[in-house]
Structures are given as C-alpha cells and as structure tokens.
Amino acid sequence: MSALLTRILGRMPIGWLQLVHNKGRLAAALAGVAFANILVFVQLGMLGAITATTVQPYSLLKADIMISSADSNTLEDGGNVARQYMLRALSVPGITAAAPIYIGKLSWQVDERRSSTLMAMALPVDAGDFISSKLRAQFLHLALPDTAIIDRGTRGGSPEIFDKITLDHPVVYELNNRQIQFVDTMLVGAGFTSDGNILMADQSFLHLFANRSSSAPSHLLLQVEEGASVARSIELLQQILPTDILRIRSLADAQADDSSYQTTERPIGIIFGLGTLVGILVGLVIVYQVLSTDVADHLKEYATFKAMGYGQPFFLGVVFEEALILAIMGFIPGILASLGLYQILEAKAGVPVDMTAARAIVVLLGTLAACTLSGAIATRRLARADPADLF
Amino acid sequence: MTASSPIIIKGLNHWFGQGEARKQAIFDVNLKIAPGSLTVLMGPSGSGKTTVLTLMACLRNVQEGSVTLLGQELLGAEENQMVALRRRAGVIFQAHNLHESLTAEQNVRMGLEVHGKGDVAQQSLAAKHILTQLGLGTRINYLPSSLSGGQKQRVAVARALAPNPEIIFADEPTAALDKESGMTVVKMLKDLGRLRGTTTIMVTHDNRILELADRIITLEEGAVVKDENI
C-alpha cells in the first residue's frame, strides 16, 4: 500500500503512515466513517423506497393526462373531481378517451391474526384501455360484481394465500362488510401508506364505499390522439376547465409531483431527508475529530518539517491524503453493511430497498467531499505548527 | 571577511511579548560568519543564543536590524522566500523531533524529499548510506520508539546532513549523545566544512567539542560579550 501511494502521490505517503501507525485510532475512524455511510445509505434507501412505492400504483394505469382536484397531491388524497368535467375534456381536440378512476382505502382481514390496509383502485369495466397492457385481460374478468384482483405483494399476505386464488377458484373475503371475490392476483407491492392494492370495477367499488358517488371520482384519466402533443392538450384543457379547483397534468408529471410530495413534504420523507443530513453531519464531525486530533498530535513533527523547508501545500496534501484514505476505506465496510441492512429492511418492511449504482456513487462522492471538507477545516490547526516553538 | 559570508548580522534587536510584557531579548548583535567554519554560540541559559540561532535559520521573523542568510535579507522576507532558504539549510534540534510513524530511513528520506533530489530508490540508498556512517546500519527500518535517545539523535543528524545543506544550524546536537557519538557528529560537521565548505553554527554547553570549533561567540543577556577565533 505504501509503495502504491508513493507512486500515486510522488512522495512518501506520510498521511497513510500516520494513520496505520495508530491502528486503534484508524479502526475507530473507519468505524465512524462506515457508520455515517450506513446512516446515509439507510436514509437514502428509505427515501428511494418511498419513491418506488409511490410510483408503483401508477404503473397499473395507461393514460396521458390526469385531472385531479386542486388540493390533490397524491393518488389517494385530495377532494374528488366532478365527472361532468370528463365530458367537457372530451370536447378538446386531440383527446380521444376519458375514464374516471376511484380510489379508496379499506382493511382486509387476512386471517384471525393479520389485517392489511389496501388501496382500492377502480375504473369502469369498459375502460380497459386505461389499464396497463399486462393487466388488461385480467381486468375484463372484473365485470362480475364484487370481484377484485389482489396484489400479491401485499404486506401481511403470503404465497400460500395468493396461490389459492385463480379465476376458476376465486377466494372470498369480507371487505367493508361485503363479500368480495378475489378472482386473480397482480404484483404491485406494499407502500408506506398502504400494505397492498386491489383493482376492481367501478360498480364493485361503489358497493364497497357506500359514501362515494359515481359522479365524483378521485381523478379523471385522459388519452390523447397518437402523435398529438400532450402539453398542447393540457393547455387547451386549462382554457376550458376551472384551474382554480382542478389540477391538469400529464400522468408522468402527476407521478413525479406525488414522489416529490412524499419525499419533501410528508413527515416520513422529511424525516428520512433529515436523517440523510444527520448522517452526513455525523461523518463530517467524526472525520474532522480524527483529523484535527491527528494534526494536533503531530504539530511538533509538522513544525520540524516546516523548519526543514516543507511548505503549506505539503501539509495540506498530508491532511487531504488522510481524509481521502479514511473516506475510501470507511466507505467499503459502510456499503457492505448497508447491503445487508437493505435486505433486512426489505424483508421486514416489505418495501423495495435497492442499492443502485447511482446511489453508491453519490454516497462515495459525498463521503469524499465530506472528508475533504473535514480535512480543510482541520488544516486550520496547521497554522499553529511554528518551527520556532521547537527550541 | 569577504562578502560571501553565509551569514551577516547587523544591529539585530529582538523582543518577546507584547504591550507591558514586551521584553527585549537581543541587543544590537553584529556578526559575520566565515564560510565553511564551525562556529559555536555559548552562554548561560537565557542569554539569547538560541534566539539568535533561530533568527539566523529564518525560523523566526526578524523584527529589527538586518540578517542576511546565504545572500538574502531576512528582514521583511516573504514566507515563500523563507521556505526556500530553509531548504538550503539543515537544522539539528536538541530534541530529535523524529516523526514517530516513520522508520529511521524514512525520517532521513524526508530530509531528501524536500529537495526533490533523486528518485525513491536513490533517496533510500543515500539515507541508508548516511545512517550506516553514523553507526545505525542495523537500525535502518526501526521506528523511533525502538531506538535509544542517542540513536534517535543520530537519525536526526543524518536527516539534517543527508541533503548536503549549505549551512547547518544545530541546537545542542550532542546533548543526548555519549562522548564518542557526540565527537563523531561534531567531527562529521567539521569535515563537511573542510570538504564541502558547509558552514555550521552550533549552540552548545558541551565543552568537549570546543577544541573543534573555529570560532566561539559568547552571549550574555542578549548581547555578544566575547568573540574568539580559535
């Protein structure tokens, strides 16, 4: 390692030699950097999980534009939209189809011990074109009243339960005091606001949610003519519909807004975001503490080097060398431990917590930046290394 | 004495402290040091000999008067000028001041690396050579913590001498050495002057080495009270 660093640095790797000389301090420093990395990775993993679970339900839909209530920030919150706007939207040139979508929450008593909160999504049975192609054929089977497709990824469910569900042998459960047949399964996944999803026809939904009306869906979905501009269609819709009470966005924008809202405005997103900052601060403090103690412990040696003719760039180089070594060596156990924690989190929380290459690179770069910043602060102590004090 | 004197001091005054605590430590010192000579600064504790040494070695800023080191004026010198001058000098401290994380050879190489002379292999060879000359051939890869006080001091001497400096400033270099080792070091400094023209300024209380000095300057209370050419 010394020879490699000598080759890279073009000088003796004083920083590395100092670090390995005090192995106890090096181990503590690496543990500190790794701990900060784990904190950041876990927080980012959870933020990533929020985003991933937020967009999962959107993947069931196939639409270009979504009209929501002005106070709607997510798929499931906000007021309802008057269905009459659907007809007015269809009058806009380029809009080829429209469908209402109804969304509600209900509880599923999986068995005597377990219950799960499901997000129910419903569209008219003749609106199969608004369902993603992989589910369209299954959706047609929901024409029968009080039928639904249940999410295999539902937290609290199990393969034994879902494997029993087939078109030939629907399984009946009681939801909102009504017998509902699960006729098939789909894979969406649990989220932070619900344990899973069910898809049904609007009539079945309205039976389940007696206080909901067919004239007031949660959102309106629109499709535009192939090759037509979605942005232009939105402009035209905004001209004829009351934008003070409606949000008219592309489905992609609605999904992005939902993600942004979940991660930056919802308490859970803010908590994980702040957690990331805390992780970075912990890393900064630990590395600063290690480096500044190291500089303080070697002031006499540094003063000697100053007396020998070494200039400030040399000392800055030594401190930054230490900072970068700590960053890289601390990152390795940090990411390995985080990969293990991600698996545990995924298994226990039932949400997708994936390590992406982009996240790993961002955290590594962040670690390098944080360690460099800590090193820059620690170098202030170098000014105290006065060769005249050696006499 | 010619203009090629490595050190010329004129009207040097120096103070420590500020305000009411400000106290003058050096009073109107004037010196010219001959090239290649071994000059000893003597005097009781607090006489100002180490202060004069550090001012000459540009380890302390000159406040009043003139100090010319290797042809460059130190009064008002910029930091980068002082750094460049320090590279042309070698400093031996009373305390060895070795880097605890570096082996004897690496400590000596630090004295060579600052000059950028040669590659790692050449520096390593030069470091081993001088350590062997100072009787440390079997201690080359030892850390300072595994060396005796005398051995550490010899490593520090090797570190100062390895880059062949034009001038050497030594503060009690033999204090931690036995008589034999002390004489070896001083003879080596004397030989450097004779063979390479290296000038040595040494602060010492060690009467054993006075016989090797070319000049003995005695300071008391910050002023030169005796200046003898031997």
Side-chain angles (χ1 to χ4, degrees):
Chain A
M1 186 71 173
S2 263
L4 175 69
L5 287 171
T6 301
R7 198 176 285 269
I8 294 168
L9 298 169
R11 61 164 170 79
M12 204 183 302
I14 302 288
W16 164 253
L17 294 168
Q18 276 178 191
L19 286 173
V20 294
H21 182 70
N22 193 334
K23 292 185 174 59
R25 185 189 290 169
L26 175 63
L30 294 181
V33 175
F35 175 68
N37 269 308
I38 291 168
L39 274 180
V40 171
F41 269 126
V42 168
Q43 306 301 321
L44 288 178
M46 296 310 284
L47 274 175
I50 291 174
T51 303
T53 56
T54 300
V55 302
Q56 279 167 353
Y58 288 89
S59 68
L60 298 177
L61 306 174
K62 185 177 180 300
D64 299 308
I65 296 168
M66 187 163 89
I67 298 175
S68 313
S69 165
D71 63 348
S72 167
N73 293 303
T74 73
L75 207 51
E76 52 188 279
D77 73 3
N80 299 324
V81 180
R83 189 175 175 141
Q84 56 167 328
Y85 293 126
M86 196 171 80
L87 300 175
R88 286 171 68 181
L90 281 168
S91 70
V92 169
I95 303 291
T96 55
I101 178 168
Y102 302 85
I103 291 170
K105 284 273 186 65
L106 47 76
S107 180
W108 172 33
Q109 193 69 39
V110 182
D111 55 30
E112 287 171 356
R113 291 181 299 110
R114 291 174 296 178
S115 68
S116 298
T117 302
L118 300 177
M119 184 172 84
M121 294 176 72
L123 287 95
V125 282
D126 59 357
D129 286 348
F130 286 86
I131 297 292
S132 76
S133 53
K134 63 180 179 183
L135 270 177
R136 201 167 296 152
Q138 292 161 272
F139 183 72
L140 296 176
H141 299 298
L142 299 178
L144 290 170
D146 297 332
T147 55
I149 300 172
I150 180 74
D151 182 359
R152 291 183 71 89
T154 299
R155 193 186 295 121
S158 65
E160 295 75 40
I161 292 171
F162 298 120
D163 287 348
K164 287 179 191 164
I165 300 168
T166 64
L167 270 175
D168 297 332
H169 298 94
V171 178
V172 178
Y173 282 94
E174 191 173 289
L175 301 177
N176 277 6
N177 301 318
R178 234 182 134 79
Q179 301 281 311
I180 298 291
Q181 294 183 65
F182 288 169
V183 295
D184 209 341
T185 61
M186 59 185 178
L187 184 58
V188 184
F192 285 82
T193 56
S194 59
D195 297 316
N197 304 274
I198 54 169
L199 182 64
M200 55 181 60
D202 57 349
Q203 291 308 310
S204 300
F205 180 92
L206 293 169
H207 288 153
L208 273 178
F209 295 88
N211 58 339
R212 294 292 297 269
S213 159
S214 63
S215 63
S218 303
H219 310 273
L220 299 174
L221 300 176
L222 308 177
Q223 288 176 339
V224 301
E225 203 172 25
E226 201 172 331
S229 163
V230 173
R232 178 66 189 144
S233 298
I234 290 171
E235 274 176 25
L236 293 173
L237 286 165
Q238 286 169 338
Q239 285 169 16
I240 64 159
L241 296 176
T243 52
D244 56 331
I245 58 167
L246 296 177
R247 293 183 80 178
I248 305 164
R249 300 166 288 177
S250 68
L251 188 66
D253 282 348
Q255 181 179 305
D257 288 347
D258 195 343
S259 274
S260 170
Y261 178 76
Q262 301 282 2
T263 52
T264 60
E265 292 188 49
R266 274 262 165 98
I268 191 167
I270 294 168
I271 288 166
F272 289 131
L274 279 176
T276 308
L277 277 179
V278 169
I280 292 167
L281 282 176
V282 166
L284 274 173
V285 170
I286 289 171
V287 176
Y288 168 72
Q289 199 57 41
V290 169
L291 293 179
S292 73
T293 306
D294 193 72
V295 169
D297 284 356
H298 292 100
L299 274 185
K300 209 169 180 182
E301 284 97 332
Y302 289 149
T304 305
F305 288 152
K306 275 190 180 176
M308 288 161 64
Y310 282 94
Q312 194 67 2
F314 167 79
F315 301 107
L316 297 179
V318 170
V319 176
F320 286 130
E321 175 193 335
E322 290 190 22
L324 296 181
I325 288 170
L326 289 178
I328 293 166
M329 288 183 70
F331 177 79
I332 295 166
I335 192 171
L336 291 176
S338 300
L339 282 167
L341 278 174
Y342 275 17
Q343 296 216 331
I344 294 169
L345 274 172
E346 204 164 281
K348 296 289 179 192
V351 290
V353 191
D354 299 320
M355 179 67 75
T356 61
R359 183 179 302 152
I361 290 167
V362 164
V363 173
L364 174 61
L365 293 177
T367 308
L368 291 170
C371 288
T372 306
L373 178 62
S374 299
I377 300 169
T379 54
R380 290 185 311 165
R381 284 197 169 200
L382 281 172
R384 295 186 200 161
D386 185 353
D389 291 341
L390 297 169
F391 294 88
Chain B
M1 216 165 280
T2 65
S4 63
S5 293
I7 297 174
I8 302 168
I9 300 176
K10 289 178 186 169
L12 180 66
N13 291 298
H14 197 81
W15 290 263
F16 287 113
Q18 288 185 327
E20 288 183 4
R22 185 171 160 91
K23 192 181 170 194
Q24 188 162 0
I26 301 298
F27 295 85
D28 192 27
V29 170
N30 295 278
L31 292 171
K32 270 188 182 177
I33 306 295
S37 63
L38 171 58
T39 301
V40 168
L41 296 178
M42 295 196 77
S45 293
S47 60
K49 54 190 187 300
T50 298
T51 304
V52 171
L53 186 83
T54 54
L55 286 164
M56 287 192 284
C58 64
L59 300 177
R60 212 182 278 285
N61 290 321
V62 175
Q63 295 170 346
E64 188 178 293
S66 167
V67 177
T68 308
L69 172 65
L70 301 171
Q72 290 193 41
E73 176 58 54
L74 298 186
L75 179 67
E78 297 289 331
E79 181 63 23
N80 57 348
Q81 288 176 289
M82 292 176 73
V83 167
L85 274 172
R86 286 173 194 159
R87 289 183 184 178
R88 296 170 64 186
V91 182
I92 303 170
F93 304 91
Q94 183 175 357
H96 53 84
N97 293 345
L98 296 180
H99 200 298
E100 60 173 14
S101 315
L102 307 183
T103 63
E105 184 211 322
Q106 288 169 329
N107 266 292
V108 176
R109 269 175 52 198
M110 286 305 293
L112 293 163
E113 270 196 6
V114 71
H115 297 275
K117 288 178 183 170
D119 57 22
V120 172
Q122 289 168 324
Q123 288 168 359
S124 181
L125 202 65
K128 284 173 185 167
H129 178 70
I130 194 161
L131 284 168
T132 305
Q133 271 190 310
L134 286 167
L136 293 168
T138 57
R139 296 286 186 275
I140 282 167
N141 292 317
Y142 280 46
L143 289 171
S145 57
S146 304
L147 298 172
S148 68
Q151 288 170 333
K152 287 177 195 169
Q153 189 63 341
R154 275 185 278 164
V155 175
V157 169
R159 181 178 60 188
L161 300 186
N164 294 326
E166 295 169 60
I167 188 163
I168 292 169
F169 298 99
D171 183 31
E172 301 277 9
T174 59
L177 302 178
D178 56 38
K179 185 179 178 185
E180 193 183 341
S181 300
M183 288 308 282
T184 304
V185 168
V186 179
K187 277 179 184 165
M188 187 178 266
L189 295 173
K190 179 84 176 168
D191 287 346
L192 281 172
R194 189 165 49 80
L195 299 171
R196 298 179 190 161
T198 307
T199 307
T200 300
I201 316 287
M202 184 188 300
V203 166
T204 187
H205 286 105
D206 190 346
N207 290 324
R208 297 170 302 179
I209 58 175
L210 295 184
E211 63 195 65
L212 293 171
D214 298 311
R215 184 179 177 189
I216 301 170
I217 298 167
T218 308
L219 285 98
E220 279 181 21
E221 296 181 347
V224 175
V225 294
K226 201 169 170 187
D227 191 347
E228 301 171 276
N229 283 305
I230 308 297

